[in-house]
């Protein structure tokens, strides 16, 4: 049997590559006659760049940027030269080498892949350093600047796992929109931003006007409100309920200043007119504006558009072709829960497998959704590594060994005996 192992990372314990290797080792131990192939995946969060570099190649450009607190941290971008088929929005397969004939309109295009977590990630901070009132996305702006200087005409930014809640103000400052001491001091300081602090925003937007920016994210939250960045995601970054409310107010004040700086009070505004309401479009209300603590909003101000992160990755690695060459796909993540149903790797893999009539199974650290929800995704079976507190403790102590053992038991169920 041909088995494709395609997991996400197991957050806090294993990278996607480590998880794939553990699953593959367990499967081969129980079913040595099977053809097992590994394809680690990502939805735009930590590991985004490693997954793409391993699957599609390209040139990795190493650099040093600022972490959420302004300290130097190693990072990289991935450059891929490919053919652009001329389709609006650039939604064709991103791998380039497996896309086949793209027609007579094909032209060279350089795409840069950026992983925002490399410079703004929560994993870069110690537990007592996590404070979204102070953390900045300045380092992500440094990565975008590098991508442009390297000749990219398309930049795909993976969003996820951030320690920030600054509406992308730090990123904008790093690109020349305004002074760092006003825009790159964290989310809470945005309450004091004035229109003069954004004197360079128009020029920054103009600089990126000929560059396609893709927000690769599983998060579709707006920037503000009950479903916004501060209300939904700030707590896991270290914010108390009171601080989350202060951040909400600060981000709201910042969007008002941005609107005045760009002339949103003019007919049509800076972002055109909403055809349904007849009112100027508000980028803070666009789905995905709240991704990565509002980093999505900052990228939207530069003309970006959002796509599902897992869809971007699946296209880039030619996932449909790999599925058609498989009899079974095994995916997984640390916790298979309700969030997994909304644009995560497991949901993306299951949907693609359903379209190609390939059975899919999930092996996760914990399974928190019911059989009905899993079947609704098209998943044929769900298997948890840990179901009791004792098993959870064992899995945290030895994540590779316990995942390998669980994969072996799943293989014994699914692989035909010889």
């Amino acid at each position: 049997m041909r088995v494709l192992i395609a997991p996400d990372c197991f957050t806090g314990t294993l990278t996607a590559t480590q998880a794939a290797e553990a699953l593959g080792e367990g499967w081969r131990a129980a079913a040595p006659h099977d053809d097992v192939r590994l394809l680690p995946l990502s939805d735009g969060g930590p590991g985004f760049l490693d997954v793409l570099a391993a699957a599609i190649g390209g040139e990795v450009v190493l650099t040093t940027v600022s972490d959420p607190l302004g300290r130097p941290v190693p990072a990289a971008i991935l450059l891929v030269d490919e053919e652009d088929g001329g389709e609006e929005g650039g939604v064709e397969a991103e791998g380039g080498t497996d896309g086949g004939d793209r027609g007579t309109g094909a032209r060279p295009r350089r795409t840069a892949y950026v992983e925002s977590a490399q410079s703004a990630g929560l994993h870069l901070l110690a537990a007592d350093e996590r404070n979204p009132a102070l953390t900045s996305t300045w380092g992500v702006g440094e990565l975008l600047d590098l991508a442009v200087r390297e000749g990219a005409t398309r930049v795909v930014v993976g969003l996820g796992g951030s320690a920030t809640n600054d509406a992308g103000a730090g990123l904008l400052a790093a690109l020349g929109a305004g002074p760092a001491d006003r825009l790159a001091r964290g989310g809470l300081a945005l309450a004091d931003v004035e229109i003069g602090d954004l004197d360079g925003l128009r020029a920054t937007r103009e600089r990126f006007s000929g560059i396609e920016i893709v927000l690769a994210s599983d998060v579709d939250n707006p920037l503000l409100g009950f479903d916004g960045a501060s209300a939904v995601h700030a707590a896991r970054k270290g914010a108390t309920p009171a601080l989350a409310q202060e951040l909400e107010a600060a981000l709201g004040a910042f969007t008002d200043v941005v609107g005045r700086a760009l002339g949103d009070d003019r007919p049509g505004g800076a972002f055109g007119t909403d055809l349904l309401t007849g009112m100027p479009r508000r980028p803070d209300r666009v789905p995905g504006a709240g991704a990565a603590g509002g980093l999505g909003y900052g990228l939207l101000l530069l003309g970006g558009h959002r796509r599902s992160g897992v869809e971007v990755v699946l296209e880039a690695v030619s996932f449909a072709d790999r599925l058609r060459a498989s009899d079974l796909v095994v995916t997984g993540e640390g916790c298979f829960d309700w969030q997994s149903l909304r644009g995560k790797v497991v949901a993306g893999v299951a949907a693609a497998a359903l379209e190609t009539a390939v059975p899919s199974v999930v092996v996760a650290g914990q399974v928190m959704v019911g059989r009905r929800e899993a079947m609704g995704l098209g998943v044929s079976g769900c298997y948890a590594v840990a179901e009791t507190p004792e098993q959870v403790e064992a899995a945290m102590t030895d994540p590779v060994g316990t995942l390998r053992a669980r994969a072996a038991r799943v293989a014994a169920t699914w692989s035909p005996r010889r």
Side-chain angles (χ1 to χ4, degrees), residues 56 80-83 93-100 102 113 315-316 318:
I56 64 177
V80 179
D81 291 318
E82 53 195 15
E83 287 184 347
E94 301 165 26
T97 57
D98 296 322
R102 297 181 184 271
Y113 292 94
E315 286 186 6
S318 302

Side-chain angles (χ1 to χ4, degrees), residues 29 77 286 338 361:
I77 63 172
V286 173
W338 66 271
V361 300

Side-chain angles (χ1 to χ4, degrees), residues 9 38 42 81 96 115 127 194 232 237 263 270 275 308 400 407:
C9 64
L38 309 184
S42 169
D81 291 318
E115 180 182 320
E194 299 175 353
V232 176
K237 303 175 185 183
L275 297 179
S308 163
V400 171

Side-chain angles (χ1 to χ4, degrees), residues 56-117:
I56 64 177
E59 177 189 358
V60 176
V61 179
L62 302 177
T63 187
T64 299
V65 297
S66 300
D67 80 353
L69 294 176
R71 301 169 300 199
V73 63
I77 63 172
L78 175 66
L79 297 174
V80 179
D81 291 318
E82 53 195 15
E83 287 184 347
D84 179 359
E87 295 185 20
E88 183 178 356
V91 298
E92 67 274 14
E94 301 165 26
T97 57
D98 296 322
D101 183 10
R102 297 181 184 271
T104 57
R107 57 188 183 275
R109 176 180 66 179
R110 170 163 282 199
T111 292
Y113 292 94
V114 172
E115 180 182 320
S116 63

Side-chain angles (χ1 to χ4, degrees), residues 37-418:
R37 302 188 180 186
L38 309 184
L39 184 65
L41 296 176
S42 169
D43 58 13
F48 178 67
L49 217 65
D50 289 340
V51 163
L52 288 172
I56 64 177
E59 177 189 358
V60 176
V61 179
L62 302 177
T63 187
T64 299
V65 297
S66 300
D67 80 353
L69 294 176
R71 301 169 300 199
V73 63
I77 63 172
L78 175 66
L79 297 174
V80 179
D81 291 318
E82 53 195 15
E83 287 184 347
D84 179 359
E87 295 185 20
E88 183 178 356
V91 298
E92 67 274 14
E94 301 165 26
T97 57
D98 296 322
D101 183 10
R102 297 181 184 271
T104 57
R107 57 188 183 275
R109 176 180 66 179
R110 170 163 282 199
T111 292
Y113 292 94
V114 172
E115 180 182 320
S116 63
Q118 288 193 349
S119 58
L122 191 64
H123 68 284
L124 298 174
L125 303 180
D128 60 357
E129 294 177 326
R130 296 177 180 179
N131 184 351
L134 304 176
T135 50
S136 169
T137 53
W138 175 279
V140 186
E142 292 178 302
L143 290 173
L144 257 70
D145 181 67
L146 175 60
V148 174
R149 287 189 284 108
E150 290 289 339
T153 57
R154 181 169 182 260
V155 183
V156 181
V157 185
L159 302 178
S162 79
T164 55
N165 202 95
D166 74 344
L171 167 138
L172 296 173
L175 295 173
D181 62 353
R182 301 291 289 170
L183 300 179
R185 294 188 294 131
L188 202 57
L190 298 180
D192 301 323
V193 169
E194 299 175 353
I195 193 167
D197 298 325
L198 293 170
D199 281 347
L201 182 55
R202 287 180 179 273
T204 301
R205 280 167 49 83
E206 180 62 28
R207 179 189 179 197
F208 282 86
S209 61
I211 298 172
E212 182 188 2
I213 300 176
V214 181
L215 291 63
S217 172
D218 65 302
V219 173
D220 58 4
N221 304 81
L223 179 65
L224 304 171
F226 291 116
D227 293 326
S230 302
V232 176
H233 300 292
R236 69 176 182 82
K237 303 175 185 183
T240 63
L243 177 56
Q245 292 183 23
E246 292 182 70
L247 288 167
E248 173 77 4
L251 268 56
F254 179 64
T255 63
D256 288 341
V257 176
V258 168
R260 287 188 280 121
L262 294 178
D264 277 358
D265 55 346
R266 299 174 303 170
F271 298 92
T273 302
D274 189 298
L275 297 179
L276 293 178
T277 66
M279 301 293 289
R281 287 194 182 97
R282 294 276 303 270
D284 55 289
R285 297 177 180 174
V286 173
L295 179 55
Y297 172 74
L299 294 169
L300 288 168
L301 291 180
L302 299 179
H305 62 93
R306 174 185 171 268
R307 292 195 61 205
S308 163
V310 66
E311 288 181 3
V312 168
V313 172
L314 294 183
E315 286 186 6
V317 303
S318 302
F319 190 68
D321 292 338
R322 296 173 188 256
L323 271 179
R324 283 188 283 269
S326 305
D327 300 307
L328 176 72
V329 60
V330 180
T331 187
E333 60 182 334
C335 185
F336 181 40
D337 58 14
W338 66 271
Q339 295 184 75
S340 308
L341 310 180
R342 297 184 58 185
K344 295 286 190 178
V345 166
V346 168
V349 168
L354 196 61
E355 289 182 4
T356 53
V358 175
S360 62
V361 300
V362 175
V363 181
Q366 292 181 280
V367 174
M368 309 298 286
V369 300
R371 181 178 177 84
R372 179 177 298 179
E373 289 86 353
M375 291 180 65
L377 282 181
V379 173
S380 299
C382 295
Y383 304 90
V385 174
E387 297 178 334
T388 67
E390 293 78 13
Q391 291 175 340
V392 171
E393 182 178 355
M396 296 298 291
T397 302
D398 182 16
V400 171
T402 52
L403 182 58
R404 185 192 298 124
R406 190 55 166 137
R409 294 196 297 274
V410 174
T413 299
W414 281 87
S415 182
R417 295 181 179 273
R418 287 192 172 184

Side-chain angles (χ1 to χ4, degrees), residues 10-31:
F10 281 51
T11 304
T13 57
L14 300 172
T15 67
T17 298
Q18 290 170 333
E21 290 172 349
L23 288 166
E25 290 170 4
W27 196 282
R28 293 187 184 101

